[in-house]
Amino acid sequence: MAADLIDIATAREVVLANIQPLPPERVALADALGRVLAEDVESAEDMPPFDSSALDGYVVGDTSGGELPVVGESRAGAPAQAALAPGQAMRISTGAAVPEGAAAVVGVERAEAANGRVVVPPMEVGANIRRAGEDVPAGELVLRSGDDLGPAELGALAALGRADVLCGAAPRVAVLTTGDELIEPGAGPLAPGQIRNSNAYALAAQAQRAGARVIAREIVRDDRAHTVETLARALDAADVVIVSGGVSVGPHDHVKAALAELGVEEHFWRVALKPGKPTWFGMRGQKVVFGLPGNPVSAIVTFHLFARPALRRLQGGGAHDTRSQARIDVDYPREPGRDQVLRVRLDARPDGWHVAPTKPQGSHVLTSMLGAGAFAIIPRGEGQVEAGSPVDIELLP
Ligand code: AMP
Ligand code: MG
């Protein structure tokens, strides 16, 4: 490995070591999907809140069975007022509170009702009764600070009666794409030498998926003054500035020099990684800057490896490790000085997960990302990784 290249794991550690979570903010439950919880949540009350029936049927006052008078009804939302005595039954619906004196519930298909009476079999005490607090008793810790809020967490919070929760602040992200060749997707036909600005869309989407708020998207011309001016504005407005392109060593790559001029301190530049070698990371105070390579696949890969963990850390989230292992289905040549990140299709087989490259792996082959469920990491070295051998994979969000 060339001495000036940092390896992937160390680069990630440097990023995480330099970033502190932003102050949390209160978020309405309906807006909290994808956010990171910033408080411990315990249940204030038993869940479910009362003893209830698991079935539609009859609740009985004793379990010996026989023919019993039906003395009332308990419905969901309309509990029976009276208690149940031994030798009595009541109609009951799923989820309805069992009345005082209830011994068990029998399902409607095992009961024969006629003329205000019902014949039921003998039962075990407590059969088909869900106890209060069976899911979560009052006072139990249900969710922890740092947990990701997905659909299940939002449902649980609602069940616990929470209308809003404290979440890690959504980092404000500016996505700046550099290059005189760039035009927007909706702009007219491509002039010679022009390409569509795909990075702005892929990177902004990755940022959003990581829980960030994209507050600016701008194209930056390959011009030193324009680069400085645009970066300065982005640094003022955003918590995280993501720049694509212009971080290599060409005569029209102005990003590094502009960041230095603006007082952004470099923490690393150039990672032992393919694709994504020229990745740059730096900070100014608490402001975070990533200079990602312009090639579309390199930009997506390096965002995933370095910017996503940073955005999660800013929200107080955990490492969210999605590392796993799989068998690779093809021989793949190693690269001597750099670990490679392949875009792979995932395939579940009887002997576990298998992966295979989606298509040719050039860093400009954006469509190699399509259908990729994971990145596979091919450690640097000589020779090749043999088909059938295990490789580390990182599942994509
Ligand atoms: P650079 O890192 O600026 O040298 O760019 C490397 C390659 O990525 C060049 O072929 C650029 O045209 C391409 N590229 C740079 N920025 C973008 C972008 N925003 N969208 C798509 N391709 C880009
Ligand atoms: Mg460029």
Side-chain angles (χ1 to χ4, degrees), residues 177-179 181-182 195-200 222 244-248 253 278 292-296 364:
T177 44
T178 71
E181 72 276 35
L182 301 179
I195 61 164
R196 307 276 181 198
N197 181 9
S198 61
N199 288 353
D222 289 325
S244 93
V247 280
S248 296
D253 292 335
L292 306 182
N295 272 304
H364 60 296

Side-chain angles (χ1 to χ4, degrees), residues 45 62 65 89 94 116 176 181 192 208 216 246 257 302 321 332 335 358 380 394:
E45 55 208 5
D62 68 85
T94 306
L176 307 184
E181 72 276 35
Q208 283 165 346
T302 55
D321 215 335
Y332 204 87
E335 180 84 13
T358 49
R380 54 184 169 257
E394 196 153 314

